[in-house]
Amino acid sequence: MQRNWTTRTALLLAGLILIALNLVGLNVFFRLDLTDEKVYSLAKASIETVRALDDPVTVRVYFTADLPAPYSSNRRLLRDKLDEYRAYGGNKFQYRFIDPGADESLQQEAARYGIPPVQVQVIENDNLQIKNAYMGLVVEYGGKRETIPVVADLAMLEYDLTSAIRKLTRERLPVAGLLTGHGETSRSAMETFWRALERNYEVQLVSVRDSVLDARPDVLLIIAPTDSFPQPHLKAIDRYLMEGGRLGVLLNRVSANLQFGFANELQTGLEDLLAHYGAVIRPDLVLDRQSSIVTVQRTIGIFRVTQAVAYPFFPIATRFDPEHPIVNRLREVYFYFVSSIDTSAAVPKGVERVPLAYSSVQSTTQQGFFMIQPMMLPEPDFGDGPYVLAVALHGALPSAYDSTRTAQSARLVVVGDGDLVNEQLYAGQLPPGNLAFVLNLVDWLGQDEALLAIRTKSIAPRMLESVSDSLKPWIKYANILGPVVLVVLVGLVRWRMRRQRHMVLTA
């Protein structure tokens, strides 16, 4: 009888504790996120954004309800994320899920917001079928709206949502300008980068007229110029920096053409200007054993075969400055004929130069006469690395043309590869790391560092660390037999305890 009362008391106590926890949970928000990058928790920038709302933000989610995995998981994760926004935003953040289903009026409503149906594969009645589904949302604030047509990339979900809210709630978007007139990369070759930039910036083309920039952007980008800069244009760039402008330069120091197999040094005039600020790009090409592959045609006997080979002129950088916000959360950046940056060059007093990205230890350089044909490339002596591939400078940059002028708190980023965002050179798909790197670069230049940490969040699966071959069998059998042995040990201990209790009662 006493044991029954003890059991009932324990159950009653557990029930009361659960009820109390639920009541507390209604008023206190708490989440324990054990992932390294806190990918399931809102970043500080997102929390501050929704807490600073003056007027209510409404999110309409047009999401089909009865979708199979993985779309059902996407719906659940989206709802969890919106719950968290609402927990911090209170009554200033509201959302509503809408399932258009077969309702034509709701489908037309989604179409008006720019949310199209997408086709997904489902299994119904043991048959594989194609079904139209909705997976988009629209964010509304103060009569304005931003649409995310399809929630496809969960890793970018928080960034997309917070960017949309910030874009709607800002009184003025900062301006990112892309310099033209010197053979720079066109918009058609970097459409992915351009569209991503437009989420948080007003993007403009900038040219030089009468020795001044015809529009003064908050951040100026110079991407892969091929023509030389007249002296008045260089002075205009220097004046822009002296007047508080922020400059990012992606420069090819060597012009290389893989198809025709030749490369030669390129002079635009920017090199001396950048060297004056402390960023010297060497006229070389970095070769790295850690590189991308290219496909080549080989003749074997009477046959012509296609073969994939590692191409050391396309380094994959995985080593970054762990403290700098531009790169500290990046995993990899793919370079396309990159030149090294001389960090031994003198830096003006009051300027700090920070190397951002490095080649691997197993890398070297080629300069003077360039041999870039994949099948004619001699085996390089990899062992001179690492080499610096990008640097950031900030501080008191001195003018290159007026010794009396100095730009206080200036910011400058220089990358030894002008083709970093040219998606045409990456088979039409810009690597995510490249896009994140350049967007981070723009945010840092514009001193809008709040979104950097969100953009580089990743929910990609982590790879297991490699172990020695001798250790692998031990890990394998420990995983197979370990749980069984553990259950047997628990059973033996429990049996032993019950037997001792029985002996005591019998005695």
Side-chain angles (χ1 to χ4, degrees):
M1 182 65 75
Q2 184 179 1
R3 184 174 180 180
N4 287 341
W5 274 110
T6 303
T7 304
R8 289 175 185 175
T9 304
L11 290 174
L12 180 60
L13 186 61
L16 290 174
I17 291 174
L18 288 175
I19 292 172
L21 288 175
N22 274 283
L23 291 174
V24 173
L26 290 175
N27 299 295
V28 179
F29 179 78
F30 175 74
R31 165 173 286 182
L32 185 61
D33 189 345
L34 300 179
T35 57
D36 286 346
E37 298 179 352
K38 307 299 178 190
V39 295
Y40 297 109
S41 302
L42 287 187
K44 183 180 178 182
S46 300
I47 295 171
E48 291 176 348
T49 298
V50 291
R51 279 180 172 169
L53 291 174
D54 294 325
D55 295 310
V57 163
T58 303
V59 181
R60 296 172 183 265
V61 184
Y62 292 85
F63 212 114
T64 304
D66 55 348
L67 295 176
Y71 310 108
S72 57
S73 301
N74 294 357
R75 180 187 171 96
R76 186 168 59 252
L77 181 62
L78 176 57
R79 184 182 291 277
D80 290 345
K81 192 66 74 177
L82 292 173
D83 279 338
E84 201 167 353
Y85 275 97
R86 186 165 59 184
Y88 290 108
N91 57 8
K92 294 291 180 63
F93 187 93
Q94 300 295 328
Y95 75 87
R96 183 161 65 99
F97 270 77
I98 302 169
D99 179 9
D103 190 325
E104 291 189 4
S105 63
L106 290 178
Q107 292 177 358
Q108 291 173 0
E109 184 178 288
R112 284 200 301 274
Y113 287 133
I115 299 175
V118 294
Q119 293 189 331
V120 298
Q121 292 184 343
V122 299
I123 298 177
E124 290 184 352
N125 301 323
D126 297 329
N127 292 320
L128 181 64
Q129 299 179 1
I130 302 297
K131 181 178 180 178
N132 284 335
Y134 289 86
M135 294 184 286
L137 60 86
V138 57
V139 183
E140 296 177 308
Y141 177 85
K144 300 180 290 184
R145 68 172 64 101
E146 279 290 312
T147 301
I148 301 176
V150 181
V151 179
D153 187 355
L154 296 180
M156 295 294 291
L157 176 59
E158 184 185 345
Y159 177 77
D160 291 339
L161 276 171
T162 302
S163 295
I165 297 171
R166 285 165 58 92
K167 189 173 183 178
L168 291 173
T169 55
R170 278 182 164 182
E171 294 182 357
R172 169 188 172 272
L173 281 179
V175 178
L178 287 94
L179 192 68
T180 61
H182 315 88
E184 291 86 350
T185 303
S186 65
R187 172 174 179 170
S188 60
M190 52 180 185
E191 189 66 27
T192 302
F193 168 60
W194 189 291
R195 289 183 181 178
L197 198 58
E198 284 183 325
R199 291 179 183 176
N200 295 293
Y201 294 87
E202 180 184 345
V203 184
Q204 294 181 351
L205 293 176
V206 177
S207 58
V208 181
R209 292 181 181 173
D210 300 329
S211 301
V212 294
L213 301 180
D214 68 344
R216 190 186 181 286
D218 297 290
V219 175
L220 178 65
L221 298 176
I222 303 176
I223 302 179
T226 55
D227 301 335
S228 58
F229 282 67
Q231 196 71 0
H233 291 201
L234 296 174
K235 288 183 177 179
I237 295 169
D238 182 73
R239 188 180 302 114
Y240 168 77
L241 272 174
M242 294 306 111
E243 292 174 351
R246 309 301 168 88
L247 179 63
V249 181
L250 280 65
L251 187 65
N252 286 325
R253 194 65 180 81
V254 175
S255 174
N257 188 311
L258 177 60
Q259 183 178 2
F260 296 102
F262 70 85
N264 56 279
E265 185 179 337
L266 183 64
Q267 281 278 1
T268 64
L270 273 176
E271 298 79 14
D272 294 338
L273 181 65
L274 296 175
H276 178 81
Y277 302 137
V280 177
I281 306 179
R282 297 190 183 102
D284 61 13
L285 289 175
V286 176
L287 295 86
D288 198 326
R289 190 180 290 280
Q290 181 175 280
S291 57
S292 305
I293 61 172
V294 296
T295 56
V296 296
Q297 298 282 333
R298 292 188 63 185
T299 301
I300 301 179
I302 60 174
F303 298 103
R304 189 84 171 159
V305 298
T306 301
Q307 184 180 9
V309 297
Y311 190 57
F313 285 107
F314 294 169
I316 303 174
T318 56
R319 179 183 173 189
F320 306 99
D321 185 293
E323 304 295 334
H324 204 286
I326 294 180
V327 293
N328 62 354
R329 302 183 74 171
L330 293 180
R331 296 184 183 279
E332 57 187 18
V333 173
Y334 291 73
F335 287 93
Y336 186 94
F337 291 116
V338 60
S339 297
S340 64
I341 295 178
D342 185 2
T343 53
S344 64
V347 181
K349 185 179 180 181
V351 175
E352 182 180 2
R353 179 177 56 207
V354 181
L356 297 176
Y358 301 84
S359 63
S360 76
V361 175
Q362 292 188 311
S363 58
T364 186
T365 59
Q366 192 178 95
Q367 57 187 343
F369 178 75
F370 298 98
M371 177 70 74
I372 65 170
Q373 284 280 6
M375 302 310 297
M376 300 174 62
L377 190 64
E379 180 62 27
D381 180 17
F382 296 107
D384 301 333
Y387 290 93
V388 176
L389 309 178
V391 294
L393 299 101
H394 62 93
L397 286 181
S399 170
Y401 299 97
D402 186 348
S403 59
T404 63
R405 300 192 70 181
T406 300
Q408 300 298 328
S409 304
R411 291 194 173 195
L412 169 66
V413 176
V414 177
V415 184
D417 181 5
D419 300 316
L420 202 64
V421 291
N422 189 337
E423 59 197 57
Q424 293 179 352
L425 300 176
Y426 295 91
Q429 291 188 332
L430 192 63
N434 292 29
L435 182 60
F437 175 44
V438 185
L439 291 176
N440 286 352
L441 179 157
V442 177
D443 288 343
W444 182 78
L445 288 172
Q447 291 184 294
D448 186 4
E449 301 174 22
L451 292 177
L452 270 70
I454 309 176
R455 183 182 298 118
T456 48
K457 275 188 176 181
S458 172
I459 56 175
R462 297 294 186 88
M463 301 298 290
L464 294 175
E465 292 184 7
S466 59
V467 297
S468 63
D469 291 339
S470 60
L471 186 59
K472 288 178 181 176
W474 290 98
I475 296 176
K476 175 183 175 183
Y477 291 117
N479 277 287
I480 295 173
L481 301 176
V484 178
V485 172
L486 187 62
V487 170
V488 171
L489 288 175
V490 171
L492 287 173
V493 171
R494 187 171 174 77
W495 172 77
R496 182 70 178 171
M497 293 173 63
R498 294 184 65 181
R499 187 178 178 186
Q500 287 182 340
R501 189 186 308 149
H502 178 72
M503 291 174 65
V504 170
L505 292 175
T506 303

